[in-house]
Amino acid sequence: MLNAEFRDRGVYLPEADALVVADLHVGRAEASDVAYPLGEAADLSDRLRSLIDRFDPGEVVIAGDAVHRFDRVAVADERALSELVDACLDAGARPVFVRGNHDTALDETTLGDTAPGETAPSGAWDGRVHDGYELDASVRNAPVVVRHGHEAPPEHESAGLYVVGHDHPAIEIEGKRRPCWLYAERAFRGADVLMLPAFTRLAAGVAVNDMTAREFQSPFVTDADALRPIVAREDGDAVEFPPLGEFRRLL
């Protein structure tokens, strides 16, 4: 099994000393006209700070779809993103953004990389948005690469593990839908794949119980039956279930 710690829709990879979250969709509440009692921005930043406090990572990687709107990043969304960046910097962690399919307007803001100890400028930060980001870790002597998951990586790219988001996976157990991680060994071009649930709690998640590979939007899923759901319990610990091909027969 992958050496990882799963908590609150994020994953901490000890070898890389990196916390990875995906699909924050900042601005989704406003764009969808959805009332959220905790407040979208505060909920995201408070939960991210909690994960950072728990794991004390050297890096925090946002694996795509940091924002929800395709066309622009509103001022309120820039403030919310800046709070997320500050949550990282306040703890001495380096924030890294990976581009998702919703992030077409990120380059029009001041988003990018900021070193720990620096102050995020007005907007969110100043620097690069990565198409793919290689962590300081390896699986079977090949790199761990974070991508959003909406498109296949270049054929020449080498990876032992891909960490992706995009599909917002969830699993239905006894009538209750729960966000889940999905993991499979050697699932894409010989690399392992770990798919994260959406970090925003405004996304109900897509129930993967009966999905085939063709029904996933991510090209990283080539065999849905091989995906192992991982579900966090109320006490915070995570439980790994059998692969979907077997798990379906148990439900």
Side-chain angles (χ1 to χ4, degrees):
M1 178 57 188
L2 178 69
N3 181 21
E5 297 184 50
F6 302 91
R7 200 170 189 89
D8 190 13
R9 307 186 184 214
V11 63
Y12 175 66
L13 303 172
E15 183 183 349
D17 191 24
L19 172 68
V20 186
V21 296
D23 296 288
L24 280 67
H25 287 275
V26 169
R28 178 168 182 158
E30 179 184 359
S32 306
D33 193 24
V34 175
Y36 197 54
L38 297 179
E40 178 191 35
D43 181 61
L44 290 171
S45 62
D46 289 350
R47 289 168 49 229
L48 185 63
R49 285 183 184 273
S50 179
L51 288 174
I52 292 171
D53 288 346
R54 179 177 179 83
F55 296 116
D56 190 24
E59 291 185 316
V60 176
V61 184
I62 297 177
D65 284 3
V67 296
H68 186 66
R69 292 181 182 272
F70 291 94
D71 56 341
R72 64 186 178 89
V73 179
V75 173
D77 300 344
E78 287 193 0
R79 293 196 192 102
L81 289 168
S82 184
E83 290 179 12
L84 296 170
V85 171
D86 288 343
C88 301
L89 300 179
D90 290 347
R94 178 174 179 263
V96 177
F97 275 55
V98 172
R99 190 186 317 280
N101 56 300
H102 277 254
D103 296 326
T104 54
L106 280 185
D107 289 342
E108 297 174 10
T109 72
T110 54
L111 289 176
D113 298 332
T114 300
E118 295 181 0
T119 301
S122 176
W125 68 22
D126 189 12
R128 181 180 177 189
V129 182
H130 302 262
D131 290 324
Y133 185 72
E134 189 174 308
L135 299 178
D136 187 18
S138 64
V139 172
R140 294 188 295 275
N141 298 316
V144 176
V145 178
V146 181
R147 287 186 168 272
H148 179 55
H150 62 299
E151 57 186 10
E155 290 284 349
H156 61 77
E157 183 171 270
S158 173
L161 168 68
Y162 281 107
V163 182
V164 302
H166 187 54
D167 268 289
H168 304 184
I171 193 86
E172 287 189 358
I173 302 174
E174 296 180 343
K176 184 175 181 180
R177 184 172 298 191
R178 306 167 186 266
C180 71
W181 300 261
L182 296 173
Y183 173 69
E185 295 183 354
R186 302 182 185 273
F188 182 78
R189 298 178 186 169
D192 298 356
V193 172
L194 175 65
M195 179 177 286
L196 276 59
F199 193 63
T200 176
R201 293 197 285 187
L202 286 177
V206 177
V208 300
N209 296 55
D210 299 316
M211 287 176 62
T212 66
R214 289 185 178 183
E215 292 173 306
F216 280 85
Q217 297 183 37
S218 175
F220 286 87
V221 177
T222 58
D223 180 4
D225 285 352
L227 296 169
R228 291 178 175 269
I230 301 169
V231 180
R233 299 187 302 193
E234 291 184 1
D235 60 10
D237 292 333
V239 178
E240 180 185 353
F241 289 95
L244 282 175
E246 178 183 350
F247 189 41
R248 293 186 188 106
R249 296 193 294 270
L250 302 175
L251 292 175

